[in-house]
Amino acid sequence: MADLFEGLKAKAGGWDRKIVFPEALDPRVLVAAGRLAADGALTPVLIGNMEAIQEKARALDVSLERMEIYDPEKYVGIDEMVQAFVERRKGKATEADARKFLLDENYFGTMLVFLNKAHGLVSGAAHSTADTVRPALQIVKMKPGLSKTSGVFIMVKGEEKYVFADCAINIAPDSKDLAEIAVESAKTAKMFDIEPRVAMLSFSTKGSAVSEETKRVEEALQLAREMAPELIIDGEFQFDAAIVPSVAQKKAPDSPIQGDANVFIFPSLEAGNIGYKIAQRLGGYEAVGPILQGLNAPVNDLSRGCSEEDVYNLALITAVQSLDQGK
């Protein structure tokens, strides 16, 4: 696990990458931001009252050197930001609405990303997923051609690394959603030096059962192949056929994936969430994420039960995502 994040730190781009932390007064966030700045991993951008942040930093013995601090109530560029917000919302927010929204740390921080004053955002230590993701969907929005964001986990044990998706966002993805999730998850895999071999999962392998659910996965496979013809992807697979070579030989002998899949696309959020937790709790894998994908710029959501180390690691991931997206 340590090697994984040392590799990300080397990729992150140093102080060139600016990552927004809207929850600057949370001790876990502030200490992690101090470490990131001291390590030269990135430039933390803190949102909040300057005096309150300085007082909290003194209490926690955190240096604010090499950080940027923005106070939404005193920001000199607020008029420009308000105008940009109104234009981005295309008639869904008045100027008065914008000024109210931009007092919220998550909205303000997301606008910094949109205006290219920062490269990504990490929130959720003290906010719900909705509070973090909603401003991103309204302001940063989806990449062209994509309709929904999705959440992946990198499952790590020793030298083993796998990608599980979607385990965080889409409750009942349709065929198009599953295809998008598969293609975006393959891109995320490469960020972690995983050469993607994508398995579309089901309770059936290659037509061993036929239902609306299996047909949806079959359709998703065809759409994903059209979207990314160079991608090694196949299905539908039961999990054992995707991960065990001897089972693959029996159940899918003609597949390009012979028990060597490393990116697993679950047919529903229910299956994905259960699957990653089983791997984590019974299999002994560490779960890194959720990492949100599909947005025009990286915005990632922490658990409210996160640790300082979780904040540090997710910020590194966000910085590397911003480089991969050309932000």
Side-chain angles (χ1 to χ4, degrees):
M1 192 71 160
D3 290 344
L4 175 72
F5 286 101
E6 282 302 315
L8 288 176
K9 190 187 297 184
K11 290 181 181 180
W15 289 308
D16 170 66
R17 296 289 97 181
K18 297 182 179 182
I19 302 301
V20 178
F21 297 92
E23 300 159 324
L25 292 176
D26 188 293
R28 298 163 296 177
V29 173
L30 192 53
V31 172
R35 287 176 53 202
L36 288 159
D39 290 348
L42 52 86
T43 296
V45 178
L46 308 181
I47 309 300
N49 177 272
M50 174 75 77
E51 291 75 19
I53 291 172
Q54 289 174 333
E55 182 179 346
K56 179 70 75 171
R58 282 193 296 270
L60 295 170
D61 195 25
V62 172
S63 170
L64 296 175
E65 188 176 356
R66 292 194 178 275
M67 298 195 204
E68 297 180 5
I69 301 174
Y70 288 84
D71 184 344
E73 295 188 2
K74 298 179 181 178
Y75 180 49
V76 295
I78 192 64
D79 291 338
E80 172 195 358
M81 185 178 281
V82 165
Q83 186 60 38
F85 184 91
V86 172
E87 291 176 3
R88 189 61 168 167
R89 297 296 290 133
K90 296 180 179 178
K92 295 180 180 178
T94 65
E95 182 176 322
D97 293 332
R99 292 187 183 278
K100 181 178 178 181
F101 275 117
L102 292 172
L103 290 175
D104 178 278
E105 297 92 341
N106 280 315
Y107 273 96
F108 185 91
T110 304
M111 280 300 296
L112 290 179
V113 176
F114 175 67
L115 294 172
N116 294 317
K117 297 181 184 297
H119 300 95
L121 178 146
V122 173
S123 188
H127 290 87
S128 70
T129 295
D131 288 337
T132 300
V133 175
R134 187 183 300 111
L137 293 175
Q138 292 177 353
I139 299 166
V140 172
K141 300 189 178 181
M142 301 300 302
K143 293 178 185 176
L146 298 184
S147 58
K148 293 180 181 176
T149 188
S150 54
V152 308
F153 281 87
I154 311 300
M155 308 302 294
V156 183
K157 183 166 71 171
E159 297 298 313
E160 297 177 75
K161 292 184 289 187
Y162 300 104
V163 177
F164 282 19
D166 177 0
C167 303
I169 302 292
N170 297 285
I171 295 174
D174 61 21
S175 295
K176 184 175 183 293
D177 297 334
L178 288 172
E180 289 182 6
I181 291 166
V183 173
E184 289 300 303
S185 297
K187 294 175 184 176
T188 298
K190 290 182 178 180
M191 192 178 84
F192 288 88
D193 297 322
I194 300 169
E195 193 56 39
R197 301 178 65 82
V198 184
M200 306 294 290
L201 297 180
S202 181
F203 57 82
S204 165
T205 299
K206 294 293 185 180
S208 62
V210 178
S211 70
E212 288 184 14
E213 291 81 5
T214 62
K215 289 178 181 178
R216 180 163 48 89
V217 176
E218 289 177 15
E219 291 169 4
L221 174 63
Q222 297 310 314
L223 290 171
R225 284 175 168 167
E226 291 170 11
M227 292 170 64
E230 75 289 352
L231 185 61
I232 298 174
I233 180 170
D234 204 9
E236 84 281 12
F237 287 128
Q238 292 160 289
F239 188 80
D240 57 354
I243 197 69
V244 181
S246 61
V247 177
Q249 266 292 301
K250 293 176 182 176
K251 292 187 175 184
D254 298 325
S255 173
I257 292 177
Q258 285 297 301
D260 53 358
N262 50 27
V263 179
F264 300 95
I265 308 304
F266 291 85
S268 68
L269 179 59
E270 183 176 47
N273 192 270
I274 292 169
Y276 102 80
K277 288 182 183 293
I278 289 173
Q280 181 184 38
R281 300 300 180 181
L282 294 184
Y285 284 82
E286 293 190 64
V288 179
I291 302 163
L292 300 187
Q293 53 189 20
L295 294 164
N296 274 314
V299 171
N300 280 310
D301 178 42
L302 293 157
S303 163
R304 277 174 281 183
C306 69
S307 66
E308 170 199 323
E309 196 67 23
D310 293 331
V311 180
Y312 185 100
N313 291 340
L314 194 57
L316 285 179
I317 290 169
T318 306
V320 174
Q321 279 183 299
S322 75
L323 288 168
D324 286 355
Q325 294 182 5
K327 287 298 291 181

